Structure formats: C-alpha cells, structure tokens
Amino acid sequence: MDAAHAAPSLEQLATPLVWTGTDGRIAGATPAFCRWLGVSVRRLLGQPLASLEVQDDALASRLLAPDAETIRLPRLALALPGEAPRFADGWLSAREGGWLLEAHPVDEFPTADPAQVLPGAFSAALKGLAHELRNPLAGLKGAAQLLARRAHGRDVEERELVELIGVEIERLNTLLEQLLSPAPPRPHAPLNIHAALERVLRLVESEAGWSLQLQRDYDPSIPELPGDGDRLTQALLNLVRNAIQAGATRITLRTRVEHGLRIAEQLHPLALRLEVADDGRGVPEELAEHLFLPLVSGRAEGTGLGLALAQQVAREHRGTLSYRSRPGHTVFTVLLPLPGVETGDG
C-alpha cells in the first residue's frame, strides 16, 4: 500500500497538512492544504516537497538532516512554480515512511513578532527619555498654574490658551506615567470573557452614542479562563476604541472555541478565538509593520499605546494578538488558551 493510502485519518483533518514518502516527494495532502495553496492534490502528488519553498532553503535543509523532534519553520513561502506564494509557519516532523508538514497560514500577520522587531536598547532609551522629560514637564506645569492665576479675569482667549497648555501638560504626564510605571501583574482568577466584553460594550455605548452599531456574536459554550479581568477589559476596550477612531460604524465582537490550536509554539487542546471586526478605514499601509510598537499612531492626537498595551495583555495571558486589514474590513484576533473541560455524566 502506498503512502497516499496509508494515512486516511490525515486526509480527514481540517488542518493544512502535506506528507511525503521516503523519497521526499509528496504522497498526499489534506483538502485544507490544497485550498490554502490554491492547487489540486493531483498537481501536488509526486512533486518534491522541498520544491514548494520559493524564497529559502530552510525546508530542504531540514529534509536532508533527519531529526526525531518536530521542527518549527517560521514564515515559509510555499507555491508551485509560477504560482503566487502563500506564507505559513510550518511544523515539520518525521513519520514512518516519510515526512509530515503542518502549515499554519500567516497571511493575516504582516510582520514578525513586534517584540522581536523592537530592540531592547531602543526600549531602554525610550524609558530613559521619558524619565528625563519628567523634570521639565514639572516646571512647565508649575509655570502654567502661575499663568492661570494671573490670567484669571482677563480676556477669554488668553484664559483658553493657558488652559490648553495645562491640558497638554497633563496629557504628556499621563503618557510618561504609562511608559515608566506599567501596571504590575496580579494573580489570575477565573473569569467569564463575555462578562468582560459586556463591560466593554457598556463603556463604548456611553462614549459613542447611537451612531455606532455594536454586534455580539458569542459562543455560549466557552468556559471560564484564568486571567486578570481588569487588564483584559482594558485591552479589549483599546481594540474597540481603535476601531472607532478608524471611522467604524459597525463593530462585531465574536468569540469561538478552537480545538488543537497552536499559540506561539505551544499546542493547546482548547483555545479562545476572540475577534473585534470593524468596517473602518483599515490600517494605513505605512503603519502595518510597526502597528504594535509603543508611540506608533495614525492620529495626531493619539498616544500609540493602546495596541501596544493590548498585545502585552494578550502575552500576559499566554496568548497572541494579530490582525488582518483592508479598507472596510479589519479584524483584530486575540487567541488565548482555555483550560481543559472535564466531562461527566451529569
């Protein structure tokens, strides 16, 4: 029996998988892999698996150096000759009679992990700059308060200008405090993610009014997860506010359970997929590679800390935050591991 017929269980999976015989040539693939790559399984059969890699030789080198461990191959570019490449994080493992490649598409992730993009030296310099700015800002605040007392009773325009100085100084002080004094971690406790979402919706409804449509698309079967309710609520509120600031008129909050999902490099039996989808302008192309870095904002009045904080909170809960975007359709996706659900007879 050949390898293509030796793994019927693989062919029934919804995960993009492709496998080879001992010669490294493709012996089979799941329908999900074919749909993702945009080709039929007949075109794949007999092709060397290494020939699918179009931008590097990481896959070929691993096939030449057998390893009993499953190897992660980040951001593989795969395609048949003449076809547009598709990008995926690959998981390559040796199996009896060949190789198995599991593909996790990353089309929606425009860049590498921003935590790796931002060098530690730059982060330290940023904090140092924030610290140095505190003293002159304190002096400006005192001067503004003195001017405000002197401006009392004078013309309206002069008072408004002095008040504006004070407001901007307070905004800068708040920004510096966020940079220098991030919230300390707190012990996680069981929480209902939908309760956190409802809290976010109440806050947003009071801010945005009737001009915004807020839609719920919840999976009621999602169990409680361990977390910091206040931190998660703030992170989700930042995502919704980001959508509003991008001109959204309709925002959908969606929750789903995922089975057998990899988050970063850890496989979880159960995971939460939480999506914040909106119909706003989308992420500007010039910000796509730096969107989650601190102080990056598409608005002149923005601090650029909302999305950076949201990603940090996702990491605190062993999860990830990513997005895909085009004008009229942007989706921010939070993936969080869920505890196993114990089953019983009643």
Side-chain angles (χ1 to χ4, degrees):
M1 183 179 294
D2 61 23
H5 296 89
S9 59
L10 290 178
E11 294 173 347
Q12 297 169 7
L13 296 176
T15 304
L17 297 171
V18 60
W19 56 91
T20 76
T22 54
D23 59 359
R25 293 182 178 272
I26 295 174
T30 60
F33 185 88
C34 297
R35 285 194 301 271
W36 170 67
L37 204 59
V39 299
S40 67
V41 68
R42 293 180 61 184
R43 290 189 63 191
L44 290 173
L45 292 177
Q47 297 279 351
L49 179 59
S51 70
L52 296 184
E53 191 172 18
V54 298
Q55 292 185 358
D56 207 343
D57 60 355
L59 180 57
S61 63
R62 289 298 182 181
L63 292 174
L64 293 173
D67 195 320
E69 298 293 329
T70 298
I71 303 298
R72 179 175 182 262
L73 302 172
R75 202 162 178 79
L76 287 173
L78 303 178
L80 285 176
E83 302 287 345
R86 306 290 201 276
F87 295 91
D89 285 339
W91 296 85
L92 182 68
S93 55
R95 57 189 295 267
E96 186 176 354
W99 295 89
L100 176 68
L101 177 65
E102 179 179 347
H104 293 264
V106 292
D107 294 7
E108 64 185 87
F109 305 103
T111 64
D113 187 343
Q116 299 174 7
V117 175
L118 181 62
F122 177 69
S123 179
L126 187 63
K127 288 185 177 295
L129 175 62
H131 182 77
E132 290 299 322
L133 288 175
R134 296 180 84 174
N135 288 336
L137 273 176
L140 287 173
K141 182 177 181 179
Q145 291 172 341
L146 180 59
L147 285 174
R149 287 195 293 270
R150 292 180 177 178
H152 184 71
R154 299 186 182 180
D155 65 85
V156 174
E157 184 177 1
E158 185 175 343
R159 290 201 310 272
E160 289 178 348
L161 288 174
V162 173
E163 289 173 1
L164 177 61
I165 293 172
V167 168
E168 289 301 298
I169 289 173
E170 284 303 318
R171 188 173 75 88
L172 288 173
N173 272 322
T174 300
L175 174 59
L176 293 182
E177 288 301 322
Q178 288 177 299
L179 287 173
L180 292 170
S181 305
R186 297 189 301 180
H188 287 183
L191 64 89
N192 184 323
I193 192 63
H194 296 134
L197 288 172
E198 288 301 305
R199 182 178 170 191
V200 168
L201 288 174
R202 285 195 299 272
L203 291 170
V204 172
E205 285 170 347
S206 65
E207 295 175 6
W210 295 100
S211 61
L212 180 66
Q213 297 180 41
L214 296 170
Q215 300 179 342
R216 300 165 174 84
D217 184 2
Y218 296 163
D219 179 349
S221 70
I222 294 174
E224 289 188 330
L225 60 99
D228 183 331
D230 289 341
R231 294 280 284 172
L232 274 173
T233 298
Q234 184 60 56
L236 297 172
L237 182 60
N238 289 352
L239 295 180
V240 174
R241 281 175 172 163
N242 184 71
I244 296 172
Q245 291 157 1
T249 60
R250 184 176 64 256
I251 299 174
T252 301
L253 301 182
R254 182 179 299 111
T255 60
R256 291 292 185 272
V257 168
E258 298 277 352
H259 296 270
L261 187 69
R262 287 192 186 275
I263 301 178
E265 299 188 10
Q266 182 70 39
L267 180 64
H268 297 277
L270 281 181
L272 163 69
R273 176 182 291 271
L274 191 160
E275 296 182 341
V276 178
D278 72 78
D279 62 352
R281 294 184 295 272
V283 175
E285 185 176 348
E286 64 272 16
L287 297 184
E289 295 185 2
H290 314 288
L291 190 64
F292 293 112
L293 300 185
L295 303 182
V296 172
S297 175
R299 300 177 299 113
E301 70 277 14
T303 65
L305 291 179
L307 293 180
L309 172 64
Q311 187 181 66
Q312 176 60 35
V313 171
R315 289 196 182 114
E316 291 170 5
H317 292 77
R318 300 188 298 134
T320 60
L321 170 63
S322 59
Y323 77 96
R324 59 183 185 272
S325 179
R326 65 175 187 271
H329 184 68
T330 296
V331 182
F332 280 83
T333 301
V334 179
L335 299 177
L336 299 176
L338 289 172
V341 179
E342 296 183 2
T343 59
D345 56 8

